Amino acid sequence: MTTKLWDGRFAEKTDELVEKFTSSIDIDKNLYSYDIQGSIAHCKMLAKQLIISDKEAEQIIKGLLEIKEEIESGNFKYNDKLEDIHMHIEARLIEKIGETAKKLHTARSRNDQVVLDVRIYLKEKTAFIIEDIIKLQKALVKFAKEHVNTIMPGYTHMQRAQPVLFAHHIMAYYEMFGRDIERFQDSLKRTDVMPLGAAALAGTTYPIDRDYTAELLNFSNVSSNSIDTVADRDFIIEFLSCASICMIHLSRISEEFILWSGAEFGFIELPDAFTTGSSIMPQKKNPDICELVRGKTGRVFGDLICMLTVMKGLPLAYDRDMQEDKEPLFDAVNTLSLCIKIYTNMLPKIKVNKDMMKKAASVGFLNATDLADYLASKGMPFRTAHNCAGKAVSYALKNKKELDQLTLEELQSFSSLIKKDVFEALELEQMIEKRISDGSTSYKNVFYAIDSAGKKNEKEQNE
Ligand code: ARG
């Protein structure tokens, strides 16, 4: 069937190019199962409210389920003339069961129907994404646990700063993804709102039961204002914001892995299965997967900017501009899901070069703060101690030595407070051990962080 369902008042045929231009079927056909689910619930509600008969409802539901099968088996024909998935399904239903099918759209408009479909879709996808992030967190905790004795240089301004446990660095990402989970959970509250019943914008004259529809579709809330209901795409923008922040985190870890896997760092080796070769340089093992995750972050930001721009300045209520919401949303959902999964699978296979990390942490005066702390612990005010340690660094630099390679006499020339025990304070392990403030890099703190993270994720997955 190719006749339009809205052509009653039109005398002229739609221009062919316009048909192509207005059609969104290539994109929104992905919503078919949610559309059918929504229509079945709507139909049941219409029957319960005696707006249609039980027999009619039965016929409609049977037809809708058959259409679902046709779509899933690849036997469904799409046509630009029918614009979108809602029209395709309705037109096919009319073809299959005749006049009764035309009752399905009672007390409903495509404006509330489309946003219902997107909300069901996004509720499902957000829940999947949260589950996937929990899995990624578990992989991070395992990775940290396996390398709990590895010391690396910690950086600020991309300059070696102070030694930290590699596990501590990895657990920083655990925290970042934890915040992502909270953000998605929070956005979910505003996605979980049932819009059907707003109809075109003003509501409907039929005695519908919106709570019943919400119950059938497992929605926690029913929308309030019918105009807002069809005009609102905030929940999509919120999801895209959460997705963008999550992509930032994936992009930052990607950037670090790219740097660390290069010869200049040599901290890690990425697994063969997650790297690619060069078509000209036989020796190359490229971190393309990390690079692509970093690159795809741009796509997801683009999806967010796209939706922000589409919505900016739109008068209430529904405007066709909003049809442009699905492509960026689907793109962000698919991109983010894939990037999270790739990282979860890649992490356990990454080899860590403990010696290279330790070597890097031993060179470059990463113990200068500890020398200052040592002096402060002997009674020197910290600012003075900082200055004194700075002078020692400058002296060591000139003499091409590390602080712990200076003799006791050399060190004492900067302060008579310096005693033999200074060498202990300048040792890597000691520097880690002494970072005792809550949340710092001491072994004890990091073990604790790993342990409580493990327990938390265990609990979350059992919920
Ligand atoms: N395909 C449309 C969309 O995605 C469905 C709603 C169309 N409503 C309308 N009044 N033309 O937004």
Side-chain angles (χ1 to χ4, degrees):
M1 158 166 333
T2 50
T3 14
K4 293 198 166 40
L5 297 175
W6 46 251
D7 64 0
R9 58 104 69 214
F10 289 82
E12 234 185 301
K13 262 181 65 185
T14 317
D15 183 277
E16 239 173 75
L17 203 54
V18 168
E19 261 164 4
K20 251 193 158 29
F21 186 68
T22 51
S23 165
S24 57
I25 189 63
D26 281 350
I27 307 294
D28 60 30
K29 63 180 169 194
N30 289 314
L31 291 174
Y32 80 90
S33 66
Y34 311 101
D35 196 71
I36 289 173
Q37 200 185 335
S39 287
I40 290 176
H42 180 64
C43 179
K44 284 184 179 165
M45 184 278 293
L46 290 178
K48 183 182 94 65
Q49 297 302 99
L50 309 177
I51 299 167
I52 61 171
S53 73
D54 284 344
K55 198 162 163 276
E56 286 168 331
E58 239 170 70
Q59 245 186 308
I60 292 173
I61 292 170
K62 187 168 165 278
L64 286 169
L65 291 173
E66 281 169 18
I67 293 173
K68 190 167 184 236
E69 260 177 46
E70 285 175 14
I71 296 175
E72 281 164 5
S73 60
N75 291 325
F76 191 87
K77 298 227 168 358
Y78 296 101
N79 185 333
D80 277 341
K81 285 192 187 355
L82 288 169
E83 289 185 31
D84 56 27
I85 191 65
H86 327 294
M87 290 301 208
H88 272 79
I89 292 174
E90 199 182 326
R92 180 72 185 124
L93 191 66
I94 296 169
E95 228 173 40
K96 283 172 82 76
I97 67 167
E99 286 300 295
T100 309
K102 296 182 181 171
K103 295 199 171 182
L104 173 62
H105 214 52
T106 313
R108 185 174 78 169
S109 147
R110 267 191 298 161
N111 296 352
D112 57 350
Q113 183 181 359
V114 69
V115 75
L116 172 73
D117 294 4
V118 176
R119 283 179 182 274
I120 305 177
Y121 160 87
L122 194 54
K123 267 179 71 179
E124 183 186 295
K125 298 297 176 193
T126 307
F128 286 157
I129 285 173
I130 292 172
E131 270 175 39
D132 287 342
I133 303 178
I134 294 174
K135 286 187 194 141
L136 173 60
Q137 278 191 314
K138 282 185 117 180
L140 284 165
V141 173
K142 196 158 173 275
F143 192 43
K145 212 170 176 171
E146 275 162 16
H147 301 287
V148 85
N149 290 315
T150 301
I151 298 175
M152 69 176 286
Y155 295 83
T156 61
H157 312 268
M158 201 55 220
Q159 310 288 315
R160 290 180 196 169
Q162 289 174 349
V164 292
L165 287 180
F166 176 65
H168 193 48
H169 194 111
I170 292 300
M171 288 302 285
Y173 284 102
Y174 172 88
E175 295 292 329
M176 291 145 90
F177 291 117
R179 291 194 294 275
D180 289 323
I181 292 175
E182 282 177 22
R183 261 186 289 273
F184 280 118
Q185 281 167 339
D186 196 57
S187 76
L188 202 46
K189 287 187 222 154
R190 279 162 305 275
T191 305
D192 192 10
V193 181
M194 207 290 296
L196 223 54
L201 81 161
T204 172
T205 52
Y206 294 91
I208 58 170
D209 182 347
R210 300 187 67 210
D211 290 326
Y212 183 63
T213 312
E215 197 187 306
L216 289 177
L217 292 170
N218 215 7
F219 273 94
S220 310
N221 298 293
V222 174
S223 67
S224 299
N225 178 302
S226 63
I227 295 179
D228 177 48
T229 301
V230 293
D232 172 33
R233 294 295 183 273
D234 292 359
F235 68 102
I236 296 181
I237 295 177
E238 270 193 71
F239 174 87
L240 293 171
S241 311
C242 301
S244 295
I245 299 175
C246 189
M247 284 303 295
I248 293 181
H249 299 152
L250 288 163
S251 184
R252 290 181 81 174
I253 201 168
S254 298
E255 170 70 7
E256 299 211 299
F257 284 0
I258 293 162
L259 287 173
W260 293 351
S261 65
E264 281 72 10
F265 277 80
F267 287 0
I268 59 168
E269 194 190 324
L270 294 170
D272 280 2
F274 290 81
T275 43
T276 55
S278 153
S279 56
I280 175 166
M281 297 164 283
Q283 86 284 11
K284 290 293 286 292
K285 178 167 155 179
N286 295 327
D288 295 35
I289 307 311
C290 300
E291 290 171 299
L292 276 171
V293 170
R294 191 177 55 184
K296 283 175 190 290
T297 304
R299 287 176 76 107
V300 177
F301 289 5
D303 295 330
L304 170 64
I305 297 295
C306 169
M307 266 319 280
L308 288 168
T309 315
V310 165
M311 295 309 291
K312 180 191 169 294
L314 282 193
L316 306 185
Y318 176 85
D319 301 278
R320 190 66 178 265
D321 314 45
M322 290 180 189
Q323 177 166 290
E324 291 296 314
D325 61 357
K326 286 165 248 359
E327 204 167 351
L329 178 62
F330 296 169
D331 181 66
V333 165
N334 296 338
T335 307
L336 178 63
S337 306
L338 204 55
C339 292
I340 298 170
K341 287 194 178 103
I342 285 261
Y343 261 88
T344 310
N345 293 352
M346 181 173 73
L347 275 171
K349 302 193 179 90
I350 295 176
K351 288 204 193 97
V352 171
N353 192 338
K354 192 174 173 176
D355 295 339
M356 282 298 264
M357 286 196 190
K358 192 167 180 180
K359 211 167 125 202
S362 311
V363 181
F365 309 102
L366 282 83
N367 47 10
T369 318
D370 292 78
L371 178 58
D373 283 342
Y374 171 88
L375 289 165
S377 76
K378 302 273 173 186
M380 190 183 278
F382 183 77
R383 270 288 151 240
T384 319
H386 182 282
N387 185 270
C388 187
K391 287 194 172 114
V393 168
S394 158
Y395 172 86
L397 261 176
K398 268 188 222 124
N399 290 278
K400 297 198 169 49
K401 281 184 184 173
E402 285 296 316
L403 285 176
D404 48 324
Q405 289 169 338
L406 298 176
T407 64
L408 183 59
E409 292 70 42
E410 281 176 305
L411 283 166
Q412 282 172 335
S413 71
F414 301 101
S415 167
S416 58
L417 289 173
I418 294 179
K419 301 282 178 284
K420 220 171 129 210
D421 61 351
V422 70
F423 291 108
E424 204 180 297
L426 300 181
E427 260 176 34
L428 268 185
E429 307 276 347
Q430 276 300 311
M431 287 191 273
I432 298 288
E433 200 57 62
K434 282 208 179 122
R435 296 281 185 294
I436 51 165
S437 56
D438 283 350
S440 65
T441 193
S442 74
Y443 289 101
K444 196 170 150 241
N445 272 331
V446 175
F447 285 149
Y448 176 76
I450 290 175
D451 197 47
S452 30
K455 283 184 191 141
K456 188 165 174 267
N457 279 157
E458 219 47 74
K459 207 175 129 231
E460 273 167 345
Q461 255 187 350
N462 294 332
E463 266 166 15

